Amino acid sequence: MSAWLTRITPDPRSRDARRDLGGSQSAAGLHRRLMSLYPDDAGPDPRARFGILFRVDDTPTGPHILLQSTHEPDLTRLPDSYGHALTRPLDPLLDALRPGLTIRYRCVANAVRKPGASTRALYDLPAVVPLKGTAADEWWQRQADAAGLKALTTHSQPMDAAQAIRKPHGPGKEQRIRHARTRFDGTATIVDPDQLRTKITEGIGRGKAYGCGLLSIAPSRETA
């Protein structure tokens, strides 16, 4: 299965781009924008069918949108003057993965845990509890292990939660969606390339429709 990585550099003069990047509550709007770059007749879960993951990175020149998918996006569907966009295949990078290779990684993830039913009832806890600090780092360590990586260094940084309003298809109240986000950066050694390829294409954790779960890697400077 082929994979594609698209980098979009939004033009700050574009009203559409500014709206899509207008803070934590814009995640759902950006998701809809990116989904519009793919075929419409994709079934009930087009995000999963096309392996769509995305993230917004702050850079010295402004925000960049990283979009990954297993179907090449149609960039002509972006609004005029939205910004500069370029797609390249990820297959060369995925094919080059091998045990022992040291890489740099980045992932914005929804680090949470699910309390047991009795604990939830006793303390009136939500279905999932956001993790912070050491607990978030331990969560990431488990995710790295499951991705076929041995984490060497980890730096975690809490981010604003991604928020959206989910409207019901029929009668009912609107539901407020909130996904806590933590950015994990560091270096790791590849233990299992096949596991790593799977996690790169599938994503990590929850909240993938809200800019969570995209695992980016690059060869470490020490081994490049």
Side-chain angles (χ1 to χ4, degrees), residues 140-155:
W140 173 253
Q141 180 66 62
R142 294 191 295 272
Q143 304 305 312
D145 291 344
L149 293 173
K150 178 182 178 182
L152 302 175
T153 63
T154 299
H155 173 70

Side-chain angles (χ1 to χ4, degrees), residues 113-129:
R113 67 177 177 88
K114 294 183 179 181
S118 59
T119 303
R120 284 184 59 193
L122 181 61
Y123 296 102
D124 192 24
L125 296 175
V128 293
V129 177

Side-chain angles (χ1 to χ4, degrees), residues 93-168:
L93 174 64
L94 299 179
D95 292 343
L97 300 180
R98 65 180 188 275
L101 180 68
T102 300
I103 60 167
R104 292 175 286 121
Y105 65 80
R106 171 172 291 177
C107 184
V108 172
N110 178 224
V112 297
R113 67 177 177 88
K114 294 183 179 181
S118 59
T119 303
R120 284 184 59 193
L122 181 61
Y123 296 102
D124 192 24
L125 296 175
V128 293
V129 177
L131 301 177
K132 300 178 181 179
T134 301
D137 291 345
E138 292 173 349
W139 179 91
W140 173 253
Q141 180 66 62
R142 294 191 295 272
Q143 304 305 312
D145 291 344
L149 293 173
K150 178 182 178 182
L152 302 175
T153 63
T154 299
H155 173 70
S156 59
Q157 177 181 340
M159 302 178 66
D160 291 340
Q163 302 180 60
I165 301 296
R166 178 182 295 170
K167 296 182 179 180

Side-chain angles (χ1 to χ4, degrees), residues 52-69:
I52 298 168
L53 301 164
F54 71 94
R55 184 178 74 233
V56 178
D57 280 342
D58 290 326
T59 77
T61 60
H64 287 191
I65 302 168
L66 287 183
L67 169 65
Q68 181 184 292
S69 60

